Amino acid sequence: MKKILWGGATSSSQYEGGYHLDYKGLDTQDCRPYFPRTTHSTTQTRLLNKQIVNQAKAYQGVGNYPFRQGSDGYHHFQEDIELLKELGIDIYRFSISWARIFPNGDEKYPNEIALQYYDQMIKQLKEANIKIFITINHYAIPLYLIEKYDGWKNRQMIDYYFRFAKVLLDRWKDDVDYWLPFNEINAGYFSPYNGVGLMKDNDEDYNQSEIFQSLHHQFVASAKVIEYGHQHVKGQFGCMVASFCYYALTPKPEDNFKLIQDENYYQWFCMDVLSRGYYPTYMRRFFLEHHIDINVTQSDEELLLQHTSDFISFSYYSSSVVAAKAADQTAGNLVSTIKNPYLNATKWGWQIDPIGIRVTLNQFYNRYQKPIIIAENGLGSQDVLELDKTVHDLYRISYLQEHFQQIQEAQNDGVDIIAYCLWGIIDIVSAGSCEMEKRYGVVYVDANNEGEGSYCRYKKDSFYWYQKFIENYHQ
Ligand code: BG6
């Protein structure tokens, strides 16, 4: 049987910091303030309006803006890659900061110094024999592009994004094994500021047509990257969604039909377009009922059909429960969901469900019949650094052990799995709630929610467990 590549993942805005170094421009994530969870919900930290962004722009320094510091990867990447090498991972997923390469986003030429930062990373990863999986855009968008052009609702964004992507494809055409045009493309729907760079004037609701027009522009941009990539580049190209693994609350037909609708609209839609190459028919009714009117040209349709993804990928953290009528809710990745009485949840309310990853792998493979990369999975928790600099995260080891077992079961079910990437393999700032203390890593980064700490790296107990797991797996 084909061997699964075991790896890890981070994103530039959550990891790098150095928000103003070497000519980097300000991006959308640099403007998101941290608020304690006691006073603000995660959703509030994701839906930014002009006033909040203007305050952020006026503030010089890191202060209350944790993405400006990340886990200081910009200064620690060499040490971090050494740790990944020692860990023995097969593949590393990371993203490129758009505003580092094109500070405003609409410049003609890229920032060479920023490219050299990634050159060094790629060189070191190759020397360590770690395969490279690049996310071209993981949420962070140059702020100037959303202020001047209104983000992805403007079709011109396709050209600016493609200019950025082409620089990366040309420069690392022989080095990168897997390319992903966008992180969790369906996030644009739940989190329009992060996903598609739509900024509200005040606290009004988002305009649904603008959201879906923006998503359409990202679909076209993704197909353009795949078109160019297939002609000029060695690696394979994927698409990715956040997966939600829906269960119906009861056997009631109404709950089960609601399950199909939620799956269609929130999970399958984007992937149907990118992996099959056309808009699914179920969206016609959704668009009609939600008064959504978008512009899709014939040449867009042809492009989408001709340039679909080679592999599919998803993030999986927890499963969800669906009912036709409202019921008691808990939090999850990007969305909230009904509580499942059979599952435990993390401190953040995300329901832990190892069998859900097996369900998800089977569902995705049955639907698309394309190889799969699990682009993100892991446990966000509040770890304790002991006085002797150890971290006893036995709960993370159990989480990983149970999920890995189900992943291997899915492979035995016949699912074609390329790789598994453990999310936030080195502690990073949480994308949802801007907290440093929601940790996923097997490597601890000594910093708190206020950005205080040495930023030194320490191996957690899960580091040694994952190291042994990979070693045994390859024997
Ligand atoms: C995914 C994102 O939605 O979930 C990551 O792609 C994010 O960027 C991850 O970090 C976990 O979410 P959070 O909110 O716990 O950081």
Side-chain angles (χ1 to χ4, degrees), residues 98-152:
W98 191 346
R100 235 181 244 299
I101 311 294
F102 287 98
N104 283 339
D106 64 353
E107 295 89 343
K108 273 221 167 83
Y109 301 104
N111 172 12
E112 177 60 28
I113 305 180
L115 286 165
Q116 286 169 12
Y117 162 72
Y118 296 107
D119 283 344
Q120 293 177 67
M121 278 185 68
I122 288 172
K123 183 165 177 277
Q124 202 184 333
L125 285 165
K126 283 175 76 85
E127 283 165 4
N129 211 12
I130 297 174
K131 287 192 189 300
I132 296 169
F133 178 13
I134 285 187
T135 313
I136 296 174
N137 183 221
H138 191 126
Y139 292 157
I141 303 171
L143 189 64
Y144 184 80
L145 286 182
I146 74 166
E147 293 195 315
K148 181 158 181 209
Y149 301 94
D150 291 328
W152 279 97

Side-chain angles (χ1 to χ4, degrees), residues 126 169-177 232-235:
K126 283 175 76 85
L169 295 170
D170 288 342
R171 192 162 182 118
W172 302 308
K173 61 177 185 295
D174 298 322
D175 303 312
V176 177
D177 300 276
H232 299 94
V233 167
K234 188 183 110 212

Side-chain angles (χ1 to χ4, degrees), residues 11 14 138-139 183-184 240 315 317 333-334 350 376 423 428-433 438 440:
S11 82
Q14 294 169 264
H138 191 126
Y139 292 157
N183 177 62
E184 290 181 334
M240 175 191 176
S315 60
Y317 292 95
N333 184 23
L334 300 172
W350 298 24
E376 291 179 25
W423 179 247
I428 50 177
V429 176
S430 154
S433 57
K438 186 182 186 190
Y440 287 85

Side-chain angles (χ1 to χ4, degrees), residues 266-282:
Y266 309 132
Q267 179 173 273
W268 299 134
F269 161 54
C270 296
M271 195 161 270
D272 279 355
V273 176
L274 294 173
S275 185
R276 291 175 164 165
Y278 50 90
Y279 273 66
T281 47
Y282 56 76

Side-chain angles (χ1 to χ4, degrees), residues 101-379:
I101 311 294
F102 287 98
N104 283 339
D106 64 353
E107 295 89 343
K108 273 221 167 83
Y109 301 104
N111 172 12
E112 177 60 28
I113 305 180
L115 286 165
Q116 286 169 12
Y117 162 72
Y118 296 107
D119 283 344
Q120 293 177 67
M121 278 185 68
I122 288 172
K123 183 165 177 277
Q124 202 184 333
L125 285 165
K126 283 175 76 85
E127 283 165 4
N129 211 12
I130 297 174
K131 287 192 189 300
I132 296 169
F133 178 13
I134 285 187
T135 313
I136 296 174
N137 183 221
H138 191 126
Y139 292 157
I141 303 171
L143 189 64
Y144 184 80
L145 286 182
I146 74 166
E147 293 195 315
K148 181 158 181 209
Y149 301 94
D150 291 328
W152 279 97
K153 81 177 182 204
N154 186 335
R155 204 176 163 98
Q156 265 177 280
M157 283 291 281
I158 300 174
D159 296 334
Y160 296 132
Y161 167 86
F162 184 69
R163 188 181 293 170
F164 161 56
K166 188 170 171 299
V167 167
L168 318 185
L169 295 170
D170 288 342
R171 192 162 182 118
W172 302 308
K173 61 177 185 295
D174 298 322
D175 303 312
V176 177
D177 300 276
Y178 302 98
W179 295 92
L180 186 61
F182 292 97
N183 177 62
E184 290 181 334
I185 198 160
N186 56 341
Y189 183 74
F190 309 104
S191 189
Y193 175 82
N194 282 350
V196 287
L198 291 182
M199 186 160 55
K200 305 197 284 187
D201 281 331
N202 295 301
D203 277 337
E204 72 280 6
D205 284 339
Y206 280 99
N207 173 313
Q208 294 291 299
S209 295
E210 286 179 3
I211 289 179
F212 282 89
Q213 188 66 63
S214 304
L215 281 172
H216 177 69
H217 292 150
Q218 290 193 335
F219 297 156
V220 172
S222 177
K224 273 178 76 101
V225 164
I226 297 180
E227 177 187 34
Y228 185 82
H230 280 161
Q231 287 161 11
H232 299 94
V233 167
K234 188 183 110 212
Q236 294 181 42
F237 289 79
C239 58
M240 175 191 176
V241 292
S243 72
F244 303 116
C245 188
Y246 293 103
Y247 304 136
L249 182 64
T250 72
K252 270 192 230 156
E254 289 83 354
D255 287 350
N256 282 276
F257 191 68
K258 180 73 168 50
L259 178 149
I260 289 184
Q261 286 186 311
D262 282 9
E263 275 185 347
N264 281 348
Y265 303 149
Y266 309 132
Q267 179 173 273
W268 299 134
F269 161 54
C270 296
M271 195 161 270
D272 279 355
V273 176
L274 294 173
S275 185
R276 291 175 164 165
Y278 50 90
Y279 273 66
T281 47
Y282 56 76
M283 286 313 274
R284 278 192 214 139
R285 179 164 188 173
F286 182 87
F287 281 178
L288 262 178
E289 288 179 354
H290 292 80
H291 312 290
I292 294 167
D293 188 18
I294 62 168
N295 181 23
V296 177
T297 68
Q298 200 187 330
S299 66
D300 291 348
E301 286 177 343
E302 284 162 13
L303 191 82
L304 289 172
L305 192 59
Q306 282 161 19
H307 306 291
T308 56
S309 64
D310 303 319
F311 65 90
I312 55 172
S313 61
F314 58 78
S315 60
Y316 172 84
Y317 292 95
S318 47
S319 55
S320 316
V321 176
V322 180
K325 283 195 185 141
D328 203 8
Q329 298 276 310
T330 184
N333 184 23
L334 300 172
V335 290
S336 54
T337 183
I338 295 171
K339 277 191 183 154
N340 185 332
Y342 301 100
L343 299 176
N344 292 323
T346 70
K347 201 175 155 199
W348 280 261
W350 298 24
Q351 309 187 108
I352 302 173
D353 180 8
I355 294 178
I357 201 165
R358 180 176 180 186
V359 173
T360 304
L361 283 160
N362 273 278
Q363 285 181 328
F364 275 71
Y365 191 62
N366 290 346
R367 193 172 178 101
Y368 303 106
Q369 296 281 303
K370 289 191 186 185
I372 298 180
I373 297 185
I374 300 158
E376 291 179 25
N377 169 252
L379 177 70

